[in-house]
Amino acid sequence: MTRHTHRIAIAPSGFKESLSAARVAEAIATGVRRVIPDADLDLIPLVDGGEGTAEALALAGGGRLVPVTATGPVGDPVASHFALLGGPGPLTAVVEMAAVAGLALVPPDRRHPGATTTYGVGELIRAALDAGARRILVGCGDSGTSDGGAGALRALGARLTDRHGRELRPGGGALHELEHIDPSGLDPRLADAELLVACNPYNVLCGKRGVARVFGPQKGATPAEVELLSAGLERLAAVLTRDLAPAFAPASGATALDLRTAPGTGASGGLGAGLASVGARLLPRYDVLLDGLDLDARLARADFVITAEGALDQQTVRGKIPAEVARRAQAAGVPVLVLAGTIGPGAQDVRAVGVDAYSAILPAPMTLVEAIGRSGEFLADASERAMRIMALGTRLAPVAPLAA
């Protein structure tokens, strides 16, 4: 009798400020093979627009990374990059906002989202245009900013001024003073380029679930700063709609985008809204980023799926990779395990989207620095533990009912 070979799909995201998605997948595979050496493993590292997106798409699309020195989120120069993809059609560039304005580039003692800027994102877009790209995909995720894309617009040539005609200082903390945006200096090449933003459609710019309120505290904002940022983004949406968006209005008959509440406008601290005001199309990130991976078919071929992310909490079901993987696997009737660096409030909600079990990887309390430094080791060990528990479960015969 031929023994069945276990088919396991490993489809994780990266661990922020620690491991790329590819390294997470490899660590999980190491742990699985300790228990099932002959398992048929399909490693499918996934990106969500954040850290590692440009490199992953360059590798998948026969492209290359182009190094660029640009303005980082706190105003200092940083070594960054964008990707140029291969293949037919117009030359396509991938700008990963996290590579120039990500939270990992903001020193812990300078995490004040009212002061950080997306200026470097605009510089990368200009560098991609200089390289001949006419289709630019901007990946949103892991941002350390909350300026509504104001910095990126500045780098692309727009002037943002207060009621006295003075240039606004960088950062979302100054947006409540915004009076006017002058688009006359915008790079004219934007009109001929296709600008696409891969974003989480759950993230909106303003309102009760506005991006400043949801993510501002994670970026270091106090409650008072959250309210200031929220007011500034409300003001930005109004001025963008009045001064900038009309120049990039959609074709006749199309409905203009509501920059306050349209899906994706809050992506990366509001970068989605800023870029939408100059004609960018905001697209659900997985529709763009998973194209070409044949993910549904690969999950359906598996007996079991393992996915992972750094933190499992109430945000996971709002468009994070484990939730997307679980939703697709559930449609194929394949069970899903999530491994996470930490388990937070609301983690149990993932069961509703198709997650069968989840587990934290840390073996004991420790500092964040140690956890980050040993995350690969902990992932492999946690995967091994999960496989051994599953192996034990399959050996337990059903218990016969008690006689009447």
Side-chain angles (χ1 to χ4, degrees):
M1 180 176 178
T2 304
R3 188 168 64 89
H4 173 67
T5 300
H6 296 279
R7 298 183 299 259
I8 302 174
I10 300 174
S13 70
F15 277 29
K16 312 309 180 190
E17 303 182 60
S18 177
L19 298 175
S20 68
R23 290 183 62 194
V24 170
E26 290 163 2
I28 293 172
T30 296
V32 171
R33 289 193 177 104
R34 290 174 187 168
V35 184
I36 314 174
D38 62 347
D40 180 2
L41 303 183
D42 186 8
L43 274 59
I44 320 170
L46 301 175
V47 291
D48 61 3
E51 294 175 14
T53 293
E55 181 179 12
L57 294 187
L59 289 172
R64 61 187 176 91
L65 289 182
V66 180
V68 179
T69 298
T71 304
V74 297
D76 300 328
V78 297
S80 188
H81 59 261
F82 65 91
L84 289 175
L85 305 186
L91 183 61
T92 298
V94 179
V95 169
E96 174 192 318
M97 83 84 59
V100 72
L103 188 61
L105 297 175
V106 184
D109 61 346
R110 299 180 71 179
R111 291 192 172 177
H112 308 298
T116 50
T117 179
T118 55
Y119 194 91
V121 178
E123 290 179 313
L124 292 187
I125 292 173
R126 284 174 48 198
L129 291 169
D130 290 343
R134 290 300 173 263
R135 184 174 185 265
I136 301 175
L137 173 63
V138 180
C140 288
D142 304 329
S143 73
T145 57
S146 192
D147 73 349
L153 294 175
R154 268 205 183 97
L156 291 169
R159 288 186 71 243
L160 284 72
T161 55
D162 64 16
R163 63 190 180 92
H164 301 291
R166 297 175 301 204
E167 288 275 356
L168 229 57
R169 66 184 185 277
L175 291 175
H176 66 285
E177 301 173 3
L178 178 64
E179 182 64 29
H180 180 60
I181 299 177
D182 178 2
S184 62
L186 279 169
D187 193 317
R189 295 174 296 181
L190 289 171
D192 299 320
E194 184 181 16
L195 195 57
L196 309 175
V197 179
C199 55
N200 186 342
Y202 287 99
N203 293 342
V204 299
L205 189 68
C206 302
K208 291 182 179 180
R209 295 293 302 175
V211 68
R213 291 192 169 91
V214 174
F215 295 106
Q218 297 177 17
K219 299 174 184 179
T222 65
E225 288 169 337
V226 165
E227 293 309 309
L228 181 67
L229 289 170
S230 295
L233 293 174
E234 290 274 3
R235 180 62 185 159
L236 177 66
V239 179
L240 286 174
T241 301
R242 183 195 68 199
D243 293 351
L244 199 53
F248 295 87
S252 177
T255 303
L257 195 68
D258 181 349
L259 296 180
R260 293 184 67 257
T261 61
T265 51
S268 290
L271 177 65
L275 295 180
S277 71
V278 292
R281 286 193 290 146
L282 307 184
L283 303 174
R285 54 187 173 181
Y286 298 123
D287 289 355
V288 180
L289 300 174
L290 302 185
D291 185 35
L293 288 179
D294 199 21
L295 181 60
D296 290 334
R298 293 168 74 176
L299 295 178
R301 286 194 294 268
D303 301 312
F304 179 58
V305 174
I306 304 176
T307 183
E309 72 168 334
L312 195 73
D313 55 29
Q314 70 270 14
Q315 292 299 327
T316 302
V317 296
R318 297 179 62 82
K320 296 294 186 71
I321 280 176
E324 181 69 13
V325 169
R327 181 181 65 80
R328 292 168 182 252
Q330 184 182 51
V334 181
V336 176
L337 167 70
V338 180
L339 298 176
T342 60
I343 305 292
Q348 68 278 1
D349 296 346
V350 298
R351 293 195 181 100
V353 297
V355 172
D356 295 277
Y358 57 83
S359 178
I361 68 170
L362 297 184
M366 64 186 65
T367 66
L368 178 61
V369 172
E370 183 179 5
I372 289 175
R374 300 177 64 188
S375 53
E377 170 192 343
F378 294 149
L379 269 167
D381 291 345
S383 303
E384 179 183 358
R385 289 194 298 271
M387 291 299 100
R388 293 197 184 282
I389 291 170
M390 289 180 60
L392 174 63
T394 61
R395 292 170 60 188
L396 294 176
V399 178
L402 294 173

